[in-house]
């Protein structure tokens, strides 16, 4: 899919160009870049086993009109002065002062920093944080999040139906999606004019040493398993997973795969060190906007993965009501559309597409931001793993990363 054009209004156009020119992507600095990061990720894989769950903090929002929101890099609309327009509007509207803390660089490394405080029910320094489905599933399982006051988030009714009844939080009582995205394949259109259709196309001889894959286990392994006919949304077996690990190991050992990386895979695409990669949808939209329309993203024939990053309120937050007001605010269609126009990921808010038309009609037609049912039918959510599976599968994957 080609990059969407910039808005026609010259002032807005200049603002978006300036912001995009310097932005990193949502998946900034993921673990897997080196042995130290891989070891930390393995240590963070401990899924806990406490016999009792911590008690929620007493809410002080009535007297404390502040809060902290921990999130990923370049995952909120931002102007050329470093301000967050939608967040500024929220502060003006509510009187709540928000510290936007770009504290999440990877699910595992962030969890490693805060897990001890979570286990004790202590304040982790964030009143809401956005993490990926599988990590949120762990926090909910261990009792590390506070249930929402449903009456405080009336705009929850705008959540798209497909994301309501996830297996780790039926009815979304403790989590709400912030943004979603696809994992698929991408390639250099000039060097590979015939394009790619499947994961197996990455293993073609003319791409030897020119392929990159992601250090996020569920995306890379999910795509490999889908190519092998495994439904990753259902109860696949250890043997299914190991068969895909064998494929990954072979392609690394044979030199077909150049690197297993997080966000820095984009640098390899820019430099030409890699010509094709397993990648994230929003990254390629942004890459084309920043560095020329040179790359194509596609969902493989066998299917892609769909992931979401989700708001939760940590168990030790003493400003729960403030966080709920923030979450409710971002579930307004007009606000969600403004964010989507900047971050280029899938908004979970119904009505945002219609609101986006007023910002830029081409934005509403972008399948990577507002996918239709045909597009969504091609992607799969990696099922929630048991604690034992999570430790075993991640350890196996990290072993390949360390050997790459």
């Amino acid at each position: 899919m080609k990059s969407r054009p910039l808005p026609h209004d010259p002032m807005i156009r200049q603002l978006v160009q300036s912001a995009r020119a310097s932005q990193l992507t949502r998946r900034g600095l993921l673990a897997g870049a080196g042995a130290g990061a891989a070891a930390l990720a393995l240590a963070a894989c401990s899924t806990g086993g406490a016999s009792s769950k911590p008690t929620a903090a007493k809410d002080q929002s009535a007297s404390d009109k502040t809060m902290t929101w921990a999130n990923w890099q370049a995952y909120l609309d931002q102007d050329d002065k470093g301000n967050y327009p939608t967040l500024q509007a929220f502060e003006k509207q509510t009187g709540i002062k928000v510290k936007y803390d770009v504290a999440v660089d990877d699910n595992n490394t962030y969890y490693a920093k805060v897990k001890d405080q979570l286990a004790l029910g202590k304040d982790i320094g964030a009143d809401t944080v956005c993490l990926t489905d599988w990590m949120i599933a762990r926090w909910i399982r261990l009792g590390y999040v506070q249930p929402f006051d449903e009456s405080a988030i009336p705009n929850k009714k705008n959540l798209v139906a497909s994301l309501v009844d996830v297996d780790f939080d039926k009815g979304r009582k403790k989590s709400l999606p912030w943004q979603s995205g696809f994992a698929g394949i991408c390639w250099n259109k000039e060097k590979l004019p015939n394009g790619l259709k499947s994961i197996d196309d990455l293993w073609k001889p003319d791409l030897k040493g020119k392929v990159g894959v992601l250090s996020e286990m569920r995306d890379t392994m999910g795509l490999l398993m889908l190519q092998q006919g495994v439904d990753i949304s259902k109860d696949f077996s250890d043997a299914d997973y190991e068969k895909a690990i064998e494929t990954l190991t072979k392609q690394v050992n044979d030199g077909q795969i150049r690197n297993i990386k997080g966000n820095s895979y984009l640098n390899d695409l820019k430099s030409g060190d890699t010509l094709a990669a397993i990648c994230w949808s929003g990254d390629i939209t942004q890459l084309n906007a920043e560095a020329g329309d040179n790359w194509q993203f596609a969902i493989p024939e066998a299917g892609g993965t769909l992931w979401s990053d989700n708001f939760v309120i940590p168990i030790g937050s003493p400003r729960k009501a403030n966080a709920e007001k923030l979450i409710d605010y971002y579930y307004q269609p007009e606000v969600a559309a403004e964010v989507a126009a900047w971050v280029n990921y899938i908004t979970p808010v119904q009505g945002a597409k219609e609101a986006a038309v007023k910002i830029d009609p081409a934005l509403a037609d972008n399948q990577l931001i507002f996918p239709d049912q045909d597009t969504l039918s091609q992607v799969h959510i990696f099922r929630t793993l048991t604690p034992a599976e999570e430790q075993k599968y991640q350890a196996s994957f990290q072993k390949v990363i360390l050997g790459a």
Side-chain angles (χ1 to χ4, degrees):
M1 173 171 293
K2 292 185 178 180
S3 168
R4 66 178 180 83
L6 290 166
H8 298 296
D9 184 291
M11 292 185 66
I12 297 177
R13 183 183 181 90
Q14 183 179 10
L15 175 63
V16 174
Q17 281 182 317
S18 176
R20 285 178 176 173
S22 62
Q23 72 178 200
L24 297 175
T25 62
R26 158 255 185 260
R27 296 279 182 165
L29 304 176
L30 281 169
L40 181 56
L42 279 174
C45 283
S46 173
T47 57
S51 58
S52 61
K53 295 181 179 180
T55 302
K58 182 179 179 180
D59 191 43
Q60 301 173 12
S61 296
S63 59
D64 184 352
K65 296 302 181 181
T66 66
M67 64 167 289
T68 298
W69 177 9
N71 208 350
W72 304 74
Q73 181 77 32
Y75 215 19
L76 183 63
D77 55 298
Q78 190 172 5
D79 64 23
D80 56 355
K81 295 181 180 179
N83 299 314
Y84 303 103
T86 58
L87 195 57
Q88 288 181 318
F90 170 78
E91 292 179 319
K92 184 176 181 180
Q93 183 182 113
T94 64
I96 298 171
K97 183 66 177 177
V98 183
K99 177 184 177 183
Y100 187 72
D101 187 11
V102 182
V104 184
D105 59 356
D106 172 73
N107 286 288
N108 275 320
T109 55
Y110 183 78
Y111 178 65
K113 295 174 186 177
V114 301
K115 62 186 180 69
D116 291 341
Q117 297 102 301
L118 288 169
L120 295 172
K122 301 296 185 182
D123 187 355
I124 65 170
D127 301 294
T128 188
V129 59
C130 296
L131 298 172
T132 310
D133 294 322
W134 59 271
M135 182 58 76
I136 294 300
R138 181 189 299 178
W139 285 36
I140 290 175
R141 183 176 69 245
L142 296 175
Y144 290 170
V145 303
Q146 301 186 46
F148 295 139
D149 175 356
E150 298 282 322
S151 66
I153 312 178
N155 285 320
K156 177 185 172 182
K157 67 180 185 295
N158 295 327
L159 175 62
V160 296
S162 61
L163 294 176
V164 173
D165 282 319
V166 291
D167 61 359
F168 58 85
D169 187 17
K170 293 290 186 181
R172 290 291 186 174
K173 303 296 184 182
K174 299 177 181 179
S175 67
L176 278 170
W178 164 238
Q179 303 290 316
S180 302
F182 302 133
I185 52 177
C186 64
W187 61 92
N188 185 308
K189 294 188 292 185
E190 180 183 354
K191 301 295 184 180
L192 301 171
N194 294 326
L196 304 176
K197 294 182 178 180
S198 71
I199 291 297
D200 283 348
D201 286 343
L202 295 174
W203 318 142
K204 291 180 177 179
D206 59 343
L207 282 176
K208 185 170 184 178
K210 294 291 184 178
V211 175
V213 301
L214 296 170
S215 59
E216 184 78 10
M217 181 267 285
R218 286 161 178 80
D219 290 328
T220 289
M221 295 306 298
L223 293 184
L224 265 63
M225 293 169 73
L226 286 166
Q227 180 63 44
Q228 295 175 351
V230 177
D231 186 343
I232 61 172
S233 66
K234 296 183 179 178
D235 288 331
F236 57 80
S237 66
D238 288 354
D240 292 328
Y241 184 84
E242 286 304 316
K243 183 179 178 182
I245 279 287
E246 289 172 6
T247 296
L248 181 65
T249 302
K250 180 181 187 303
Q251 299 304 332
V252 167
N253 291 343
D254 290 350
Q256 187 74 19
I257 293 174
R258 183 184 183 93
N259 286 310
I260 303 176
K261 290 186 174 181
N263 181 63
S264 58
Y265 81 93
L266 293 171
N267 295 330
D268 291 343
L269 289 172
K270 288 180 183 178
S271 68
D273 285 345
T274 58
L275 300 180
I278 291 177
C279 61
W280 290 301
S281 54
D283 286 359
I284 305 308
T285 301
Q286 293 173 0
L287 181 61
N288 278 326
E290 296 165 13
D293 187 17
N294 297 322
W295 295 273
Q296 181 84 17
F297 173 87
I299 297 170
E301 290 179 334
T305 63
L306 172 65
W307 47 263
S308 296
D309 290 328
N310 308 269
F311 283 113
V312 289
I313 300 175
I315 193 69
S317 166
R319 290 164 287 271
K320 177 174 178 283
N322 292 344
E324 288 168 337
K325 286 183 180 179
L326 179 98
I327 296 168
D328 186 64
Y329 168 79
Y330 278 100
Y331 263 72
Q332 297 176 82
E334 295 78 13
V335 178
E338 190 173 346
V339 173
W342 200 88
V343 303
N344 290 293
Y345 279 102
I346 302 168
T347 175
V349 179
Q350 293 185 51
K353 180 176 181 178
E354 291 74 15
V357 173
K358 299 177 183 178
I359 299 174
D360 181 358
L363 175 67
D365 293 330
N366 191 331
Q367 286 295 301
L368 302 185
I369 301 175
F370 297 104
D372 57 24
Q373 286 305 309
D374 181 61
T375 299
L376 291 173
S377 70
Q378 302 172 50
V379 295
H380 308 262
I381 298 174
F382 201 106
R383 71 165 171 84
T384 301
L385 301 176
T386 66
E389 287 175 328
E390 187 174 326
Q391 287 187 313
K392 178 166 51 178
Y393 294 168
Q394 186 66 42
S396 181
F397 184 66
Q398 291 297 140
K399 183 178 180 181
V400 180
I401 290 179
L402 289 171

